Amino acid sequence: MNLQRLMRPRLLGMVVVMLAVLGIASYLTMARQEDPSFPYRAGLITVVYPGAVAESVERLLLEPLSDELSQVSEVDFIRATARTGVALVSVMLDDTIYDTDAAWDRVRQAMTRAQLSFPDGVRSMELDDRLLDIPAVVLAVRGDASVVRLSDEAERLKRQLMDLPGLARVELYGDTDEQITIALRDAELSRLGLSPQMLSGLLAQRNQVIPGGFVVVGSQRLGVLPNSEFVDLAALKATQIPLPQGGSVPLAAIADIWRGPVEPIGERAWFDGDQSVLVGLILERGQVDAIRFGEQLRTRLDTLRPEFAPLRIDEMFFQPDQVKERLDGLEQNLLSSVLIIVAVVLLGMGWRMGVLVAAMLPLVALISLGLYDLGGGILHQIAVIGMVISLGILIDNAIVMVENIQDRLNAGESRWQAAFNAVRELAGPLGASTATTLAAFTPMLLSKGGTADFTRGIPVMIMLTLLVSYLLAISVAPMLAGYFLRPAPVRMNTRMESFSAGLARLSERAPKGMLLLGAAVVAVSLALVPLVKLQFFPNADRAQVVVELFMPEGTDQHYTTEVAAALEAQLMRQAGVLSVHRFTGATGPSFYYNLNRYPKAPNRARLVVNTRSLADTRPLIHWVRDRVAEQWPELDVVATTLGQGPPREAPVELRVYHPDDRQRIAAAEQLFALLKQVPGAVDVRHDIDLGVPTVRIEVDDAQAQRFGLNRADVAQALFRQSLGTTVEQYRQELDPIPILLRTHEGSQQSLQRLLSANVFNAQGQAVPLTAVARVVPAWQPASIRQRDGVRVLTVTAGLEQGYSFSQVLQALQERLTQAALPVGTRLEIGGDSEGSGDANRALFTTAPIGILLLLFFLLLQFNSFKRLGIVLLTVPLASAGVLPGLVFSGVPFGFQSLLGVIALVGIVVNNAIVLIDVVDQGLAQGRTIDQSVSDAVVRRTRPILLTTATTIAGLLPLAFSSSTLWPPMAWAIISGLLASTVLTLLVVPAVCRLWLRPTVSATEREAVQMN
């Protein structure tokens, strides 16, 4: 038999080379992003009901809306806030939902049903189901004091950028619409016998869009254009108003008329102190390269900037730079890992075998990357991390295969006979060990939820690279070994041989002692559980500080802006601060995937501080807290760096329920006070609303009737005095501009001026407000919060550096045992605790599938429950070193550490499988159990140690990287692998000596083979 021809090296070589070329092409062209995208599971419903107080909004809007939304099975929970004139409902879909478009259609149907119960006067109801879209680039248009002009120029810039490849849509932030204000003079109206109602009707009649038709003159049609609407502001000012006694006056004689920004003001933005309008560019989801998009955008901006001069167009947030920096850093870690692994392999195996094994690294990486790209994968930090983790594991198959071929060459077999026999011998065991590792990562692949969506690239890349590495180990590695390996007189150095023989003697002389040693190590590891700090995801490593400002409910946006500006000015004078961006009335664009997007509110502001380095963020955060506490005690502030993982409200979140409002407030205040005392809890705040002062106008119906008025007339007059009444639209622009009737001061007028207003009846008579109504001071809730239709209060806290949410919650629980909450209080714990629990439950839900696959492949390989039990015994050994490593290094146990444990289990199980397979080979050859186990330990010690060394070496660049996300996982694998490798080489052989026995003699086996 021509074994060389049977293995078809030319065909195999061509296929491998083409796949490697595919990988190179994919690396050069595939889409790049910093982080994975989340499904659209978050939405915000906004219902506008002008003039309604919070309690009316809750009763008339939230209750029917909550009832209908609760019937949508895809909805996980809803958070609702009722404020004066507006209802805000945050809708979260279930974590298992991936067809979100169909789910949002059902939500819209529920909204339509609820709208049937809404009262008259509800102006609008909108659903934004794209809250998780993050702008890749945020540009700031600045250089003019007029927000209107900045808005117009930002709109023009938006139109100039719409055709960029890969751009999904463009959003403006901090822009404003315009309005035409007709500020009536009440004294003139009263003197001339005019009323606002009459003016409204007259202006509406004179601003109609009425076509004049056309006439045919000869062969041409001539359009007839009547002046049925106002063509400019001068025409509006000059329009004649007829007087009751005869004659007319121009509108400008009884009112001041101007064109300006909409009032009250909306969200505003400042770029490093200059008022700006922001242009947010959102990319299409999928195969869009953020880095290439950034290059194209900068090229376009270079050509556009002269057109917008003297205005400036600056980059406020530029995600492509972050993507490039992140991926470049990870690729350097990947390259460093490869070089370190290659060095370890060359030192451990010699140059000839080492070169063959090292050649598998670039081949596996390139082929895996090409297949990943063909499957629609995106190159982001999660995918790169998956490849880094798999580096040390994937060459285990090649190490075993190449060493086996070398042993056969040393035994006198020919090159191709050695390669063929090695494949026939190891294809099954290596396939089983690879399959069990794939089974270990199956739960991560199949689990659902935000955390799984964020980390799914890790199991995808690891499973893909391991599968490719196995295929290459049983094909390319034997082919190359058949060409390049030569018989060698010495199989291993004497030090390694004596070391492995010593390990074999330990398990032979005291097998029970080795079992006790393994049990003791596991017991000590479990005893350290109370000392381990729990963490969901760490904060990001960006040199940015996000300062959230919460003024008391009911605060006017002008005052919020003043406070935010004062804090910004002081921040600019601090050491290490490069720039500060300010947003008021809203939190600005969500420039980072982990940032929550909050509804607009006049009492909200956000400052984004760019610092020189990450080390400058911590002292700056402390300075902000101290300064705010000293200068603005009424201001709640949350200062932190950016987070990682799925978005959440705060690391520590406590939701308080009680049917009685007073008891619920008392419980929230108690939790707030206790949490303030807990070490490690910072930025503690609550959303208790103590209400705001209001002025209640109580109309005397009988007195009003005498003057020909009713309650609606009074309400409309008050609304016109402050916010104004829209009477028509000016249609000479691209977008229609509303025309409002109101007083000159609008909402900025004094309370005395408002209460001295006149109410005009149908005859145009001015009646003083105080003649038909009395003014009563009152206290109204500024906001009412619900969760799933039930009133709730929330207490939140951040974490000081070095503390975990588990420590804070445990300390809080100890205090609650001494001071119980009011009877009937229901307490829910959210934040990192809830997110971690959800992620673990999602993982454990799919764990049975992984366990079933693991058992299936082990039984398929060994067909023995004893051997299955020995392999499973290595699972607790795998985690034996993790907990001590985390405790001594001070690293908390989080979701990344859990990923490290899963990877660790796969490695240790692989070692046990191949070790037991060598034992079975010895038993099949008629050796005793002690001889078989000793030979297995001697033969497998170097490959196991090499696998351990290469895995640890590959993770060292990641462990020492500046990233805050991945070192916990790297250290979990490193510390666990150091302990579990030694235990595997001691405990597994000891168990084999105690449990395994030869099943048939060598003579019987030969007889069976002959038959």
Side-chain angles (χ1 to χ4, degrees):
M1 179 185 296
N2 190 338
L3 295 178
Q4 182 175 0
R5 184 175 181 181
L6 179 64
M7 299 180 73
R8 296 186 179 273
R10 292 180 180 84
L11 176 62
L12 182 60
M14 184 195 71
V15 172
V16 171
V17 170
M18 294 303 296
L19 289 175
V21 171
L22 172 66
I24 295 173
S26 296
Y27 175 76
L28 296 175
T29 60
M30 70 187 304
R32 286 166 166 80
Q33 297 177 7
E34 183 178 10
D35 299 291
S37 300
F38 292 95
Y40 292 120
R41 297 195 185 104
L44 177 65
I45 301 173
T46 304
V47 189
V48 179
Y49 187 17
V53 298
E55 291 179 336
S56 298
V57 170
E58 179 190 36
R59 184 179 69 257
L60 300 176
L61 302 184
L62 288 187
E63 290 186 3
L65 191 55
S66 298
D67 290 343
E68 294 296 338
L69 291 175
S70 65
Q71 300 177 37
V72 180
S73 58
E74 293 89 346
V75 172
D76 185 14
F77 65 89
I78 60 174
R79 289 194 306 264
T81 302
R83 290 196 178 102
T84 300
V86 64
L88 303 167
V89 183
S90 297
V91 182
M92 288 297 299
L93 300 182
D94 193 86
D95 279 346
T96 60
I97 301 298
Y98 286 88
D99 183 11
T100 56
D101 289 340
W104 289 122
D105 287 341
R106 294 195 60 187
V107 169
R108 288 185 174 88
Q109 294 171 7
M111 293 166 57
T112 302
R113 293 194 301 269
Q115 198 168 12
L116 299 176
S117 304
F118 286 176
D120 295 335
V122 174
R123 181 175 298 176
S124 64
M125 178 167 62
E126 297 177 351
L127 168 64
D128 181 1
D129 59 1
R130 293 296 184 263
L131 287 181
L132 295 181
D133 272 341
I134 305 300
V137 176
V138 178
L139 303 173
V141 181
R142 58 177 176 148
D144 196 291
S146 171
V147 183
V148 173
R149 188 192 173 198
L150 292 177
S151 300
D152 291 340
E153 294 301 295
E155 182 67 30
R156 186 161 70 94
L157 177 61
K158 169 184 173 181
R159 300 297 173 188
Q160 298 279 4
L161 299 176
M162 289 292 289
D163 62 338
L164 282 172
L167 186 63
R169 68 179 191 274
V170 182
E171 293 183 350
L172 301 184
Y173 305 87
D175 60 321
T176 185
D177 293 327
E178 289 185 275
Q179 69 180 31
I180 295 176
T181 303
I182 302 177
L184 300 175
R185 305 187 194 105
D186 283 358
E188 291 296 318
L189 290 179
S190 179
R191 184 177 64 83
L192 297 175
L194 299 175
S195 68
Q197 295 90 328
M198 186 270 287
L199 287 177
S200 298
L202 182 64
L203 293 175
Q205 291 174 3
R206 294 184 180 178
N207 196 48
Q208 298 291 319
V209 181
I210 303 174
F214 64 89
V215 295
V216 178
V217 179
S219 61
Q220 297 291 323
R221 288 182 176 182
L222 298 181
V224 180
L225 305 176
N227 62 337
S228 59
E229 59 179 334
F230 301 120
V231 295
D232 54 31
L233 209 59
L236 176 62
K237 294 179 179 179
T239 187
Q240 294 296 310
I241 307 299
L243 301 176
Q245 62 272 24
S248 64
V249 296
L251 180 61
I254 58 175
D256 294 322
I257 305 170
W258 68 86
R259 178 173 172 172
V262 168
E263 298 179 19
I265 62 173
E267 61 177 332
R268 290 289 181 267
W270 286 262
F271 179 93
D272 208 17
D274 291 341
Q275 184 162 264
S276 309
V277 173
L278 310 182
V279 181
L281 308 179
I282 299 173
L283 301 185
E284 296 174 353
R285 290 204 170 193
Q287 298 297 316
V288 177
D289 188 342
I291 298 176
R292 189 176 300 114
F293 175 84
E295 295 171 352
Q296 294 172 344
L297 174 63
R298 281 176 169 159
T299 302
R300 178 73 61 87
L301 290 176
D302 288 341
T303 61
L304 289 178
R305 282 192 173 97
E307 299 181 19
F308 288 83
L311 297 183
R312 296 180 56 184
I313 302 175
D314 295 287
E315 298 170 359
M316 177 176 277
F317 304 112
F318 203 81
Q319 187 71 12
D321 284 348
Q322 299 290 338
V323 175
K324 181 174 175 54
E325 180 181 352
R326 176 73 65 190
L327 293 183
D328 285 350
L330 290 174
E331 288 170 3
Q332 290 176 5
N333 288 336
L334 183 63
L335 182 60
S336 300
S337 299
V338 170
L339 295 177
I340 295 174
I341 291 173
V342 170
V344 171
V345 171
L346 290 175
L347 290 174
M349 302 186 70
W351 76 268
R352 196 176 283 271
M353 286 193 298
V355 168
L356 287 181
V357 172
M360 295 297 103
L361 281 175
L363 284 178
V364 172
L366 289 175
I367 294 174
S368 300
L369 196 62
L371 297 176
Y372 179 71
D373 184 35
L374 285 179
I378 298 174
L379 192 63
H380 44 62
Q381 66 166 327
I382 308 299
V384 178
I385 290 298
M387 186 168 289
V388 173
I389 296 173
S390 63
L391 282 179
I393 310 174
L394 64 87
I395 63 171
D396 184 31
N397 293 332
I399 290 174
V400 175
M401 181 64 69
V402 171
E403 279 214 331
N404 189 283
I405 294 174
Q406 183 67 63
D407 290 343
R408 291 180 179 276
L409 290 174
N410 296 343
E413 295 184 10
S414 66
R415 290 184 298 163
W416 294 106
Q417 187 69 42
F420 182 80
N421 290 336
V423 172
R424 187 171 59 178
E425 175 188 338
L426 293 176
L430 293 182
S433 64
T434 301
T436 53
T437 305
L438 298 181
F441 285 97
T442 300
M444 287 180 57
L445 182 68
L446 299 180
S447 62
K448 298 180 179 181
T451 305
D453 298 332
F454 182 71
T455 58
R456 184 163 286 116
I458 292 178
V460 168
M461 187 58 75
I462 290 178
M463 296 173 78
L464 185 60
T465 52
L466 289 183
L467 186 59
V468 172
S469 73
Y470 170 71
L471 295 176
L472 295 188
I474 61 174
S475 59
V476 176
M479 181 187 72
L480 295 177
Y483 278 112
F484 296 108
L485 290 187
R486 300 289 184 271
V490 180
R491 191 184 63 181
M492 65 173 67
N493 59 57
T494 55
R495 291 183 180 180
M496 179 60 68
E497 189 172 5
S498 60
F499 177 72
S500 57
L503 291 177
R505 285 193 298 272
L506 284 175
S507 62
E508 182 179 4
R509 293 175 181 175
K512 294 182 179 179
M514 295 300 100
L515 285 179
L516 292 176
L517 174 63
V521 172
V522 173
V524 171
S525 177
L526 294 176
L528 296 176
V529 169
L531 302 179
V532 176
K533 296 181 290 186
L534 299 181
Q535 182 187 58
F536 189 29
F537 278 92
N539 286 340
D541 53 354
R542 287 197 186 185
Q544 288 178 318
V545 175
V546 179
V547 183
E548 305 282 5
L549 305 179
F550 302 83
M551 298 299 292
E553 288 283 355
T555 302
D556 184 67
Q557 187 170 328
H558 288 285
Y559 182 67
T560 304
T561 302
E562 291 177 8
V563 173
L567 182 58
E568 175 190 7
Q570 297 182 32
L571 278 168
M572 287 298 299
R573 295 193 292 269
Q574 299 304 306
V577 173
L578 295 177
S579 62
V580 181
H581 306 316
R582 170 167 41 110
F583 312 95
T584 62
T587 53
S590 298
F591 60 93
Y592 186 68
Y593 80 96
N594 189 264
L595 277 178
N596 279 317
R597 185 172 171 182
Y598 295 99
K600 298 178 182 179
N603 65 320
R604 286 295 311 272
R606 172 183 283 170
L607 302 178
V608 179
V609 186
N610 297 312
T611 62
R612 297 185 186 278
S613 66
L614 186 62
D616 294 322
T617 59
R618 185 56 50 187
L620 189 65
I621 288 173
H622 287 285
W623 178 89
V624 169
R625 292 169 183 159
D626 295 339
R627 175 62 63 183
V628 169
E630 175 185 343
Q631 192 166 349
W632 298 284
E634 78 281 8
L635 172 62
D636 283 341
V637 64
V638 175
T640 182
T641 54
L642 296 170
Q644 295 272 23
R648 81 297 201 227
E649 190 72 22
V652 178
E653 180 185 4
L654 307 172
R655 296 189 288 267
V656 185
Y657 301 87
H658 198 287
D660 183 80
D661 291 345
R662 294 180 180 274
Q663 294 295 320
R664 185 171 59 256
I665 293 175
E669 288 178 337
Q670 181 180 346
L671 285 171
F672 173 77
L674 293 176
L675 200 55
K676 293 275 285 185
Q677 303 171 11
V678 173
V682 295
D683 297 335
V684 183
R685 60 178 302 272
H686 58 68
D687 57 8
I688 298 174
D689 172 35
L690 299 179
V692 292
T694 58
V695 178
R696 182 184 297 275
I697 308 298
E698 296 185 352
V699 178
D700 186 331
D701 293 328
Q703 191 69 13
Q705 189 174 1
R706 294 190 186 97
F707 290 101
L709 299 172
N710 54 39
R711 295 187 181 187
D713 294 329
V714 174
Q716 291 171 3
L718 292 171
F719 195 82
R720 177 182 60 82
Q721 287 285 115
S722 57
L723 296 178
T725 304
T726 301
V727 296
E728 250 305 320
Q729 288 184 328
Y730 178 72
R731 304 181 186 91
Q732 304 305 311
E733 304 284 347
L734 181 64
D735 296 319
I737 300 174
I739 301 175
L740 274 72
L741 290 182
R742 67 165 217 202
T743 61
H744 196 281
E745 300 86 354
S747 60
Q748 300 300 315
Q749 64 187 307
S750 65
L751 181 60
Q752 292 78 8
R753 174 73 176 86
L754 177 66
L755 297 181
S756 62
N758 291 324
V759 183
F760 291 85
N761 58 21
Q763 291 74 36
Q765 297 173 332
V767 180
L769 175 66
T770 53
V772 296
R774 67 188 187 97
V775 180
V776 180
W779 200 265
Q780 289 285 343
S783 65
I784 299 173
R785 289 175 170 81
Q786 294 182 352
R787 185 181 174 91
D788 290 332
V790 181
R791 288 192 178 187
V792 63
L793 292 174
T794 306
V795 181
T796 58
L799 297 174
E800 185 59 270
Q801 188 175 19
Y803 287 86
S804 66
F805 73 88
S806 60
Q807 290 175 299
V808 172
L809 291 176
Q810 182 179 358
L812 176 65
Q813 191 61 43
E814 293 173 355
R815 286 167 170 79
L816 285 176
T817 56
Q818 303 173 1
L821 296 175
V823 177
T825 301
R826 178 165 59 92
L827 181 63
E828 283 183 358
I829 297 178
D832 284 352
S833 177
E834 184 178 45
S836 178
D838 291 343
N840 293 336
R841 279 191 296 272
L843 195 60
F844 294 146
T845 300
T846 56
I849 300 176
I851 295 173
L852 180 62
L853 290 174
L854 181 66
L855 298 178
F856 172 80
F857 289 122
L858 289 176
L859 286 175
L860 183 65
Q861 171 64 23
F862 294 117
N863 194 26
S864 168
F865 285 109
K866 281 187 176 181
R867 287 160 179 78
L868 172 65
I870 295 174
V871 174
L872 294 181
L873 188 64
T874 61
V875 174
L877 300 181
S879 57
V882 174
L883 296 180
L886 295 179
V887 171
F888 293 135
S889 63
V891 176
F893 186 87
F895 197 79
Q896 306 93 320
S897 305
L898 182 60
L899 300 184
V901 172
I902 294 174
L904 191 60
V905 170
I907 299 171
V908 178
V909 167
N910 284 350
N911 293 335
I913 289 174
V914 182
L915 187 66
I916 295 175
D917 183 72
V918 177
V919 173
D920 285 341
Q921 291 177 23
L923 295 177
Q925 295 171 3
R927 300 178 185 176
T928 64
I929 185 63
D930 287 336
Q931 292 173 340
S932 300
V933 171
S934 297
D935 182 62
V937 173
V938 171
R939 290 177 56 186
R940 285 300 298 156
T941 294
R942 184 168 75 162
I944 289 177
L945 292 181
L946 272 176
T947 301
T948 300
T950 54
T951 304
I952 292 176
L955 290 171
L956 283 177
L958 201 62
F960 289 106
S961 68
S962 59
S963 171
T964 57
L965 187 59
W966 302 115
M969 181 196 65
W971 285 118
I973 298 177
I974 291 173
S975 61
L977 196 56
L978 286 172
S980 61
T981 299
V982 177
L983 292 177
T984 299
L985 291 173
L986 293 175
V987 176
V988 172
V991 177
C992 289
R993 296 181 193 276
L994 294 175
W995 283 8
L996 298 185
R997 293 293 180 268
T999 54
V1000 294
S1001 65
T1003 304
E1004 292 173 335
R1005 183 175 295 276
E1006 291 176 0
V1008 171
Q1009 292 177 351
M1010 291 178 62
N1011 293 332

